[in-house]
Amino acid sequence: MSERDVLARFEAHLDPARPEAAPGVSIIGYGEVSTVFALAELPGRVCKRMSGFRDAEAVAHYAETVRRYIDFLEAEDIRVVETAILAIERKGRAPVVYLAQPQLAAEGLGNSVLRHADDATLRARLDAVLLRIGRLLRSNRERRDGRSVTVDAQLSNWHFGSGERAGGEPLLIDIGTPFMRKDGADEIGVELFLAAVPPGVRALYRRARAVERYLDAFFDARSLLVDAVANFHKEGRPDRIPLALERVNRWLAEDVPDLGGRPIRAEDVDRYYRNDAKTLELYLRARRLDRFVRTRLLGQRYDFILPGAIRR
Ligand SMILES: Nc1ncnc2c1ncn2[C@@H]1O[C@H](COP(=O)(O)OP(=O)(O)O)[C@@H](O)[C@H]1O
Ligand SMILES: [Mg+2]
């Protein structure tokens, strides 16, 4: 059976409220955006499910944007893990998209490097990511076609090789949100983000341009790195924040001085993290409440997988 057929069958059996109940599934992780599965029928592969599309046209636009994003990054010398983008049709509802990738060795994942590698290795991995991000952000400035492109810098979004190939070029694994702007507008559009928000707050988010503001932070060197370093808290290694800041601040001052980033202090990171954790927790609670109202009170379907309690 093809990968597409396996995923179509999986999707037909999936209850988004209980993803682990579908046959042959193991959940590898909940990211902030997607849920990452491995399926017994697709050995050696991982799949990330994206839902919330209005219609087939929105799905086609998303798939095309992700494809272009990957091509763009590769052209800018950022290597991306081989990714199949599969739109899966459903009866009477808009399709969902699965992003399928080879399952990479756990020891090479950025979160594992952050937890277990020695200081010299962690420094080298951080420098490798910073080098590539610096080039990308600098070329945003130089480009004349109104386009700007960025990535989510968090270590958990990169793979650094394993075994013999440890320490090779970092490989970007998180490409589900294409951070690509043309003349200031997000090419992915805001609707996909808003679909995940309870309807009651959607108008509010729209008016406050909350999605655009959330995305803004990824295009700015300093705020991108504050976020990435703050993630050390979530990964349980806040003790390594000083080491990371030493590399990041050197990079801000020496490699990208033209991008105008003041040095980042540990207090900046901690303050950001407390705020971000609170916002995400609130957001998740609002989504759980919305799911409860829609499924239990209104008898509707709820198409998003929500993470369980997030440990911070
Ligand atoms: N190709 C892969 N192989 C192994 N693990 C992966 C792979 N892709 C993702 N993961 C794991 O799942 C986590 C979340 O995936 P990611 O693509 O970053 O999704 P999100 O957008 O939700 O953050 C990663 O940090 C990593 O631990
Ligand atoms: Mg991620």
Side-chain angles (χ1 to χ4, degrees):
M1 214 182 338
S2 71
E3 189 154 77
R4 172 182 298 283
D5 293 341
V6 171
L7 287 169
R9 211 166 59 173
F10 173 72
E11 177 63 29
H13 288 109
L14 174 74
D15 173 4
R18 294 192 315 126
E20 66 288 346
V25 68
S26 58
I27 295 184
I28 294 193
Y30 292 103
E32 241 115 62
V33 178
S34 60
T35 303
V36 185
F37 307 99
L39 297 181
E41 283 180 284
L42 299 175
R45 305 283 284 173
V46 301
C47 308
K48 310 176 187 185
R49 178 181 186 266
M50 306 292 292
S51 59
F53 300 98
R54 176 192 291 276
D55 51 26
E57 197 183 324
V59 169
H61 174 72
Y62 173 76
E64 183 269 332
T65 311
V66 173
R67 176 52 50 211
R68 226 157 18 85
Y69 181 56
I70 294 173
D71 292 346
F72 192 100
L73 290 174
E74 298 255 335
E76 293 284 324
D77 269 341
I78 292 188
R79 278 181 61 221
V80 179
V81 67
E82 172 262 310
T83 305
I85 307 169
L86 298 157
I88 303 294
E89 310 277 330
R90 302 187 294 180
K91 272 201 206 83
R93 310 167 76 189
V96 288
V97 174
Y98 282 86
L99 305 173
Q101 301 173 338
Q103 178 164 13
L104 302 170
E107 75 204 67
L109 289 167
N111 13 6
S112 165
V113 170
L114 173 56
R115 286 196 183 139
H116 307 298
D118 58 33
D119 285 358
T121 306
L122 178 59
R123 256 185 225 114
R125 304 295 178 263
L126 281 167
D127 286 350
V129 168
L130 290 170
L131 174 72
R132 284 161 182 86
I133 291 178
R135 285 203 299 242
L136 189 62
L137 296 183
R138 206 170 308 110
S139 65
N140 282 341
R141 289 206 148 182
E142 288 157 11
R143 216 171 288 123
R144 288 282 161 263
D145 59 0
R147 191 156 259 125
S148 47
V149 179
T150 184
V151 296
D152 182 338
Q154 293 185 1
L155 281 176
S156 62
N157 294 331
W158 304 84
H159 192 268
F160 296 96
S162 55
E164 299 255 292
R165 314 211 9 216
E169 226 179 306
L171 192 61
L172 185 65
I173 57 175
D174 186 352
I175 39 72
T177 304
F179 298 100
M180 225 172 10
R181 287 181 162 170
K182 172 84 174 126
D183 303 324
D186 293 292
E187 296 201 48
I188 183 180
V190 298
E191 297 308 319
L192 190 56
F193 295 92
L194 293 175
V197 178
V201 288
R202 224 171 269 165
L204 203 75
Y205 272 46
R206 209 187 286 279
R207 200 154 359 105
R209 297 177 65 78
V211 175
E212 292 88 334
R213 279 161 49 177
Y214 161 78
L215 293 171
D216 277 347
F218 293 90
F219 289 86
D220 171 71
R222 188 175 188 278
S223 55
L224 179 64
L225 270 301
V226 169
D227 178 78
V229 176
N231 204 247
F232 284 31
H233 278 289
K234 193 170 151 198
E235 300 286 353
R237 293 305 303 264
D239 57 301
R240 307 193 98 174
I241 288 176
L243 180 154
L245 287 183
E246 190 257 313
R247 302 320 292 166
V248 169
N249 285 328
R250 188 206 53 83
W251 173 78
L252 283 171
E254 292 172 20
D255 286 11
V256 291
D258 45 324
L259 299 182
R262 287 171 290 112
I264 301 172
R265 297 166 306 170
E267 304 98 88
D268 301 330
V269 172
D270 296 347
R271 190 174 340 102
Y272 171 87
Y273 179 72
R274 279 196 300 273
N275 225 321
D276 191 52
K278 230 183 290 164
T279 312
L280 285 174
E281 188 56 42
L282 254 178
Y283 174 62
L284 191 58
R285 268 195 237 161
R287 296 185 71 190
R288 289 212 191 95
L289 176 63
D290 178 43
R291 175 170 69 181
F292 173 81
V293 171
R294 290 208 234 175
T295 57
R296 304 290 173 79
L297 306 184
L298 303 176
Q300 297 174 352
R301 289 205 263 211
Y302 189 74
D303 201 17
F304 297 97
I305 298 171
L306 300 183
I310 295 180
R311 201 156 42 88
R312 290 187 183 269

